[in-house]
Amino acid sequence: MVGSDKPSIIVFPGVYPPSEDTYLLLDALDIRQEDVFLEVGCGAGLITLTAARQTQNVVSVDSSFEAVHNTLENLKRFDLSNNCQIIESDLLGALAPSTKFSMIVFNPPYLPQDDEHTTLDHALIGGQTGTELTQRFVRQAAEHLLREGRVFVVVSNLSNVDSIRETMIACGFMIDTVAEESLFFEKIQVLRGILKEDHKETVL
Ligand SMILES: C[S@@+](CC[C@H](N)C(=O)[O-])C[C@H]1O[C@@H](n2cnc3c(N)ncnc32)[C@H](O)[C@@H]1O
């Protein structure tokens, strides 16, 4: 077991292992039995697995084939695969436009591009400034959330958090910081956005 209530999962080579940001996000989530839940970037599947224990309506996506198979394997080990659909997808791109969720979560790659390359770049690098992928995610999530739906996303002060907040506000989200942790080289936060259609601003 990792901690007292967190299931012990297997992690395939090339898949992001549960880390401080995973646990910070997991502990910040208020998953309800009636939630229709989407995890973007499920990695090894710890958050998806935890959601599938609490609601039967879980969809998970990842752009990595290995991550999709890793999550499926962990769901099977805990006999939870019936509660969950796992899809290989670039963000929410593979979902039908009419598919709506009450809760969407993402622990994204959020580091800026640099000259170092590793086999985990797909899980770590969020674009030139570190924010591009998260901003694209926020725009797509707003289109797939029910009114009053919640989005939870991890951000780091190593990237431009203000630009992510601005994108969330422009998409109609009311934002709170629901968790934060200082690590030795960065501060990470979990932002929660609640979709309020009447707050949507015109994005030119
Ligand atoms: C930091 S890891 C988080 C993994 C897991 N959710 C966790 O918290 O431990 C980011 C995950 O996002 C996935 N990812 C990166 N770009 C993506 C994209 N465009 N669409 C979907 N998933 C993506 C990566 O493959 C990786 O599994």
Side-chain angles (χ1 to χ4, degrees):
M1 297 282 283
V2 183
S4 57
D5 57 350
K6 300 200 169 58
S8 169
I9 62 167
I10 55 169
V11 181
F12 289 0
V15 175
Y16 187 77
S19 307
E20 285 92 343
D21 45 14
T22 314
Y23 298 119
L24 190 70
L25 176 58
L26 190 56
D27 290 341
L29 299 180
D30 58 351
I31 305 169
R32 305 165 191 159
Q33 200 183 355
E34 67 275 15
D35 270 323
V36 185
F37 181 98
L38 171 67
E39 182 179 16
V40 175
C42 51
L46 181 64
I47 292 173
T48 288
L49 193 91
T50 306
R53 285 176 154 175
Q54 295 174 65
T55 167
Q56 294 186 327
N57 306 305
V58 177
V59 177
S60 283
V61 301
D62 203 295
S63 54
S64 151
F65 174 84
E66 288 77 15
V68 166
H69 281 266
N70 198 162
T71 293
L72 190 55
E73 179 62 29
N74 280 316
L75 284 165
K76 284 184 186 156
R77 281 159 53 96
F78 288 89
D79 202 20
L80 287 166
S81 51
N82 287 343
N83 290 1
C84 194
Q85 256 185 289
I86 318 286
I87 302 167
E88 187 177 342
S89 175
D90 173 22
L91 298 178
L92 288 78
L95 303 177
S98 58
T99 314
K100 301 280 181 187
F101 300 90
S102 61
M103 184 171 191
I104 302 179
V105 312
F106 192 19
N107 176 17
Y110 52 65
L111 297 179
Q113 185 78 56
D114 62 16
D115 295 334
E116 308 271 312
H117 290 289
T118 75
T119 53
L120 280 179
D121 275 4
H122 66 96
L124 300 174
I125 308 297
Q128 204 61 40
T129 69
T131 62
E132 289 86 346
L133 185 70
T134 301
Q135 287 176 306
R136 197 156 64 84
F137 160 74
V138 166
R139 291 189 193 101
Q140 293 186 12
E143 297 301 320
H144 285 270
L145 268 179
L146 296 164
R147 194 180 162 82
E148 301 288 327
R150 293 106 74 213
V151 68
F152 289 77
V153 63
V154 179
V155 296
S156 160
N157 67 348
L158 297 179
S159 70
N160 185 348
V161 178
D162 285 346
S163 71
I164 294 171
R165 286 177 170 273
E166 282 161 19
T167 302
M168 290 177 77
I169 290 166
C171 288
F173 288 105
M174 301 267 289
I175 313 168
D176 282 321
T177 302
V178 290
E180 61 181 36
E181 185 171 349
S182 291
L183 307 175
F184 74 100
F185 61 97
E186 67 176 329
K187 183 162 101 178
I188 54 174
Q189 297 178 316
V190 177
L191 302 184
R192 181 186 61 190
I194 300 181
L195 191 63
K196 307 272 184 195
E197 277 301 323
D198 22 331
H199 284 79
K200 204 165 200 164
E201 292 171 8
T202 305
V203 187
L204 298 175

